[in-house]
């Protein structure tokens, strides 16, 4: 990406220095999310990458760090009526309403393709009740080729369940515990940003047995057409994503990374390697690319490339060495 | 079929009407695969506002590796696109969508309103170049005024088609609504292809269904990804929601829940 | 603004229809915020319009609906060290740290100029304690030419006070009550969006005696420079404002307008008349233009003009008639 | 002094080096008021990304109502500005800031590094045209390479000034750091004006303070409003924070807490 090139050129002296100091080895991008090993920290976010196959002609799927598929529920869901998306300033609102094929058809219809990839596949799950979450987890536990589960407790679009799980620490803990008991797969809990204190939520799911937290899901937003005097989404409200929300996401990731000992996965508006680096420096062990997949299908791959260049220019051999190295003091 | 993300140089830019532009782009990979009715997703600017790509029908695809887009300035994306110059590069993803089915059933009638004419020129050219065009084919085109219509109408005529026109202001062709012309034509054709404003297509579909003539419609909805991943572009089909970008944009009119589209 | 023109052109038929139907009268833009009467609903937001004089050559100050001056504290505040601002995607972060001249110098130094304007002046106040809020309010109650007070309980930049007042309903209520007792001026309480449930906050200050609520203040965000590995703000975190936050602001305004009977003032990313209309339709009785004053000093005035055109085109005589007329049903 | 918001047509565009551009704009109101050392805030694009205006020194102001800006492409704002063409309109606010005080104290030395040269040409022209220039005035200019420097150096020379150059790569003038040339010059001048990279200005200020020569520096900070309203552009002065956009950008070097600027 253009912006990236610019960023790395900003300090030309430094660049040259680093270039001279470093032998031309390929930096090691591997990261670890609990027991889940990734070849690089760049994953694709749930709901923005379909079931991966949609991107097969545009992205080398085997170069990604991980793929998180569209949220799966126990039964197929039709989702919300259209219109479901609207563009906003540097962002978009969506009210897809968690349309998905359901866990059974996911396993029979989508997993065979996904299994052939060398990239770890994480399944994002959602339910209307604690029991539903457990049941999906049990079904996926038995399925071959799944690297981890990501529990979506934060989707703002479904009236029943969704919001409460993600905003009440006790509820979040309950879901996490229940899913924990239903599977041996690594468990990532995905947090909602629509809370007063994200750290409280992160601690609650940490205590309840999560192996990692990912954040943020979308902020709740709205858009109105003044001519028709109607909401632009049939669902009235929707989830805001894209570069617009990056500053909020980064702040929350930084707060959570300082407060919990779990690995943190950063999500929100990531488009370039520079964006990804902000999250890694703030303490994220990996990142997810979401909305950017829509406007720049090459974003995730470019970020992997950009991280490599950055490490070379900064004279770092291993990506893990830069995680959480943000300097906030006056040193 | 396969799609590509490609930076494409603008090699031609024409202003057909005050707010109607035609861009020609060097897009060899996309041109090689493109089928009539397919579209591309265009990033109109390097910055992040507007954020999303804009969908445009492939208006023409040439053997020299170029494709053309025909568009009207409606909002900020199209306004920015209109300001791009020859020599600029645009980032395109395409060709996308299913395209028209034009394997059999002739004679045909192509009905385009406004920018809905864009994909129909490609279709007409393809019918012509694959020897599928017949003397009984009809082209009905409508727009607000003459200047939006004349250069396009001439291009259809040059292929040998009979072209009938309608404009809102009567500045060329019949004054009024393009589907009003359909009554005379329908009994003579086997297949209708239509793209244009919603009201127009609704009317065309109704007439076709009454006359039991097959009708393919090309739909427009708001799109984020254009490749079936975001689930943002769905409309109501007879058997549940369908994704316009992937299962369309061309649909057999009978398969849509037209009142809810 | 360009975008505005475009918006109004989108439905050309409708436009013509309306034009024919409506005699060419000037629509009435007046709105009422409790006892505060405004000639139009377009105010300028605190901290983004200085003490108004900064804009005197660029804006016809007497065409605005109201002017809200930079937040005033009991004693002068130096604010945070630089850098204090950073641009983000369609937004900006600020960590000014509430630099201001203090209430006494405000009254002696800034009010004489402001008093000469025909536009109502609202003073935004902030304190580190309930007592401080009261004391400032008392001092301003005595000063001539102040139309109302806006209580800033939501600024995220000051560690002491700020955050807690704005996120805990009981604290917000306490401040509101205390200020209520210290002045007879109309009281607007400005809410923070960094909460799980904005409606609870609005109800708390309504019950405590507020005459209106304004929202939103900034979302808390962060930005990092990957080359230096430092935060881009000296204060590390700052407040996110601008078009990026508009969808969140609009959603909260809509939620609050439905829940309270107080007048609501909408704030967040408003740049064009179309933006302002979204908030008015969602139920706001007035709006505040913030960050837009920086990138387009003519924004507030253009919005007044754009509202007039909109009402004419929609065949409406009075702006108050469109407030809260959003249609969310399937009618 | 008064400032204006004005849409200004680009009437000239030169590329002085691969990444250095000079735009000339028809800006009659701004040109009529502009003083050397003042700046304008430029909206580089109609969209909302980048959101904020970009500050640029007034590089030249002509009696025909035009002003010039000299800029280097550094980030996305300047990249977009570099792509604007003759005939395009830019939205400007200006003239802003205090400008240089050049009422007395001669001979003078102007020291510019990189794009810091921009306001100094306007100052040199003004000194010249108001009869304040002397034969003992000095101009010291530094940049990375020759191509960034030559056209500008010629323009100063054409006014009759003695110009000394330094480049990082030695491709023209002395190889090295521009303040290294100052030692010889300082004893002969009464007033130094400087604008450029922080390190350079810091060095110049130190030398001036040691030699007890007055020094005016023009600072750069990030700005949101440019008119004193946002309080975003403050730096540490000897007596507390100062706003660069309004109390500056030109400061008496002695009034700044230099270590904290
Ligand atoms: C498959 C397909 C093919 C198309 N082909 C053409 C064509 O050949 N020529 C042409 O002029 N137009 C075509 N359109 C419509 C074109 O995409 C819109 O006019 C354009 O996106 C408007 O963008 P804007 O930024 O100017 O408008 P804005 O109103 O500012 O756009 C705001 C948002 O709404 C979306 N949007 C607005 N209008 C439409 C619309 N009618 N359809 C879909 N999305 C819309 C935009 O993509 C964007 O996300 C096509 C649309 C689709 C879905
Ligand atoms: C009073 C003043 C006069 C200036 N005069 C000139 C001039 O004549 N020629 C010239 O080339 N440059 C000048 N600059 C610097 C110029 O404003 C920046 O180079 C430009 O804003 C960079 O924008 P960008 O989008 O390309 O960079 P980005 O790095 O993408 O910008 C990101 C943000 O940082 C700000 N920024 C980045 N670099 C600077 C900087 N050095 N100073 C202030 N803000 C910065 C931008 O305004 C923006 O808000 C001046 C700055 C000031 C304050
Ligand atoms: C169209 C769309 C659909 C989404 N669907 C899901 C989902 O099914 N499950 C989930 O946990 N998050 C979902 N998300 C949220 C994203 O995974 C991500 O958390 C969010 O968009 C913020 O990241 P971004 O700004 O990079 O897009 C969806 C987002 C979008 C835009
Ligand atoms: C530089 C800056 C300073 C601000 N200072 C204050 C303040 O002193 N008091 C206050 O209540 N809000 C303050 N705000 C918040 C704004 O008034 C407004 O609520 C917020 O910026 C959202 O609106 P916007 O998106 O239109 O800017 C400030 C905002 C900015 C950008
Ligand atoms: S546009 Fe994304 S699924 Fe159709
Ligand atoms: S830039 Fe806003 S006060 Fe200086």
């Amino acid at each position: 990406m253009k912006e990236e090139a610019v960023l790395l050129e900003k300090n030309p002296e430094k660049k040259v220095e680093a270039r001279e100091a470093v032998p031309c080895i390929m930096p090691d991008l591997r990261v670890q999310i609990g027991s889940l090993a990734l070849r690089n920290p760049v994953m694709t976010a749930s709901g923005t990458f379909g079931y991966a196959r949609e991107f097969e002609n545009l992205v080398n799927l085997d170069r990604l760090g991980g793929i998180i598929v569209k949220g799966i529920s126990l039964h197929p869901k039709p989702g919300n009526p259209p219109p479901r998306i609207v563009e906003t300033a540097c962002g978009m609102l969506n009210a897809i309403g968690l349309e998905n094929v359901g866990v059974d058809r996911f396993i029979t219809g989508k997993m065979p393709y996904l299994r052939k990839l060398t990239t770890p596949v994480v399944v994002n799950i959602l339910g209307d009740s604690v029991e539903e979450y457990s049941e999906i987890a049990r079904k996926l536990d038995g399925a071959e080729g799944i690297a981890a589960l990501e529990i979506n407790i934060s989707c703002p679009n479904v009236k029943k369940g969704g919001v409460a799980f993600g905003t009440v620490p006790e509820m979040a803990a309950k879901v996490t515990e229940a899913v924990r008991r239903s599977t041996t797969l690594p468990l990532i809990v995905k947090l909602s940003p629509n809370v007063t204190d994200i750290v409280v939520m992160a601690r609650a799911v940490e205590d309840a047995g999560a192996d990692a937290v990912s954040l943020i899901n979308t902020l709740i937003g709205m858009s109105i057409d003044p001519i028709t005097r109607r909401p632009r989404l049939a669902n009235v409200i929707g989830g805001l994503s894209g570069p617009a929300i990056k500053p909020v996401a980064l702040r929350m990731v930084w707060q959570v990374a300082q407060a919990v000992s779990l690995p943190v996965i950063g999500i929100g508006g990531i488009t370039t390697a520079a964006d990804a680096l902000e999250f890694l420096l703030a303490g994220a062990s990996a990142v997810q690319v979401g909305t950017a997949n829509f406007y720049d299908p090459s974003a995730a791959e470019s970020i992997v490339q950009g991280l490599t260049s950055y490490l070379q220019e900064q004279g770092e051999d291993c990506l893990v060495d830069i995680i959480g190295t943000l300097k906030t003091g006056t040193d | 079929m396969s799609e590509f993300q490609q930076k494409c140089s603008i090699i031609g830019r024409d202003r057909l009407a005050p707010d109607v532009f035609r861009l020609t782009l060097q897009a060899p990979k996309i041109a090689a695969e493109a089928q009539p009715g397919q579209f591309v997703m265009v990033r109109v600017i390097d910055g992040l506002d507007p954020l999303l790509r804009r969908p445009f029908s492939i208006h023409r695809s040439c053997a020299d590796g170029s494709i053309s887009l025909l568009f009207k300035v409606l909002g900020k994306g199209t306004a920015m696109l209109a300001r791009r110059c020859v020599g600029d590069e645009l980032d395109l993803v395409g060709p996308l969508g299913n395209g028209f089915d034009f394997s059999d059933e002739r004679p045909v009638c192509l009905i385009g309103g406004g920018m809905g004419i864009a994909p129909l020129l490609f279709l007409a050219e393809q019918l012509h170049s694959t020897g599928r065009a017949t003397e009984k084919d009809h082209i009905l085109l409508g727009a607000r005024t003459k200047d939006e219509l004349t250069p396009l109408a001439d291009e259809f005529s040059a292929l040998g088609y009979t072209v009938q026109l309608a404009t809102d202001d009567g500045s060329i062709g019949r004054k009024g609504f393009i589907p009003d012309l359909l009554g005379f034509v329908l009994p003579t054709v086997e297949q209708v292809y239509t793209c244009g404003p919603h009201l127009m297509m609704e009317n065309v579909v109704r007439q076709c269904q009454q006359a039991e003539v097959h009708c393919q419609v090309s739909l427009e909805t708001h799109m984020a990804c254009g490749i079936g991943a975001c689930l943002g572009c769905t409309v109501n089909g007879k058997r549940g929601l369908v994704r316009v970008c992937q299962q369309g944009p061309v649909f057999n009119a009978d398969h849509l829940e037209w009142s809810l589209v």
Side-chain angles (χ1 to χ4, degrees), chain A residues 90 196 220 224 226 229-230 251 278 310 316 327 331:
Chain A
C90 289
T196 307
I220 310 173
I224 292 171
R229 302 194 193 177
R230 287 187 176 281
R251 181 264 297 181
E278 291 191 68
Y310 173 86
E316 299 276 3
K327 293 175 256 179
D331 51 308

Side-chain angles (χ1 to χ4, degrees), chain A residues 3-18:
Chain A
E3 208 185 305
E4 176 51 12
V6 158
L7 167 104
L8 298 171
E9 268 165 28
K10 254 190 201 156
N11 212 333
E13 288 90 339
K14 198 150 196 169
K15 196 168 160 183
V16 172
E17 242 176 72

Side-chain angles (χ1 to χ4, degrees), chain A residues 137-329:
Chain A
R138 259 191 305 275
K139 291 199 181 217
L140 290 168
D141 196 51
E144 197 197 324
I146 295 172
L149 299 186
E150 180 178 63
I151 316 184
N152 177 6
I153 54 168
S154 44
C155 183
N157 294 329
V158 173
K159 270 134 214 163
K160 206 171 145 207
V163 171
F165 285 126
T167 53
V168 182
E170 295 74 28
M171 295 284 282
K174 252 198 192 149
V175 177
T176 308
E177 274 162 20
V179 175
R180 176 71 297 165
R181 279 193 301 269
S182 314
T183 179
T184 56
L185 288 169
L187 271 198
I188 304 164
V189 180
K190 182 164 176 181
L191 303 178
S192 163
N194 300 294
V195 295
T196 307
D197 191 346
I198 189 92
V199 166
V200 171
M201 298 302 301
R203 289 213 179 103
V205 302
E206 173 171 46
D207 294 343
D211 297 307
V213 288
S214 59
L215 62 157
I216 60 174
N217 210 314
T218 52
L219 286 160
I220 310 173
M222 183 172 172
S223 176
I224 292 171
D225 179 343
I227 301 293
T228 61
R229 302 194 193 177
R230 287 187 176 281
R232 285 206 171 90
L233 294 173
N235 191 53
V236 184
I237 59 171
L240 181 66
S241 64
I245 68 169
K246 197 187 72 176
V248 175
L250 184 65
R251 181 264 297 181
M252 290 187 167
V253 164
W254 178 69
Q255 290 176 325
V256 167
Q258 287 174 296
V260 300
S261 51
L262 296 181
V264 175
I265 303 172
I267 322 171
I270 297 173
T271 308
T272 65
D275 296 335
L277 283 161
E278 291 191 68
F279 284 85
L280 296 168
L281 294 169
S285 298
V287 297
Q288 294 179 20
V289 177
T291 305
N293 295 311
F294 302 155
Y295 54 87
D296 184 16
S298 64
E301 257 189 284
S302 307
I303 292 173
V304 175
Q305 184 50 51
L307 292 179
T308 304
S309 313
Y310 173 86
L311 293 174
Q312 286 171 336
E313 282 156 17
Q314 294 256 320
E316 299 276 3
D317 298 338
C318 299
L319 185 123
V320 288
D321 294 340
I322 71 157
I323 291 172
T325 59
L326 179 72
K327 293 175 256 179
T328 53

Side-chain angles (χ1 to χ4, degrees), chain B residues 203-220:
Chain B
N203 187 309
V204 169
V205 169
R206 202 177 339 105
Q207 293 190 48
C208 288
Q209 284 172 340
Q210 277 161 5
E212 294 187 5
V213 172
H214 287 160
C215 179
Q216 292 180 32
V217 296
S218 179
L219 297 185
E220 288 186 6

Side-chain angles (χ1 to χ4, degrees), chain A residues 51 70-77 98-107 109-110:
Chain A
Y51 301 107
K70 174 75 191 155
I72 300 291
S73 52
L74 190 56
H75 306 295
K77 275 182 186 284
L98 301 172
E99 174 182 343
N100 79 91
V101 296
V103 66
D104 294 332
R105 272 170 61 201
F106 169 72
I107 294 173
K110 306 292 180 184

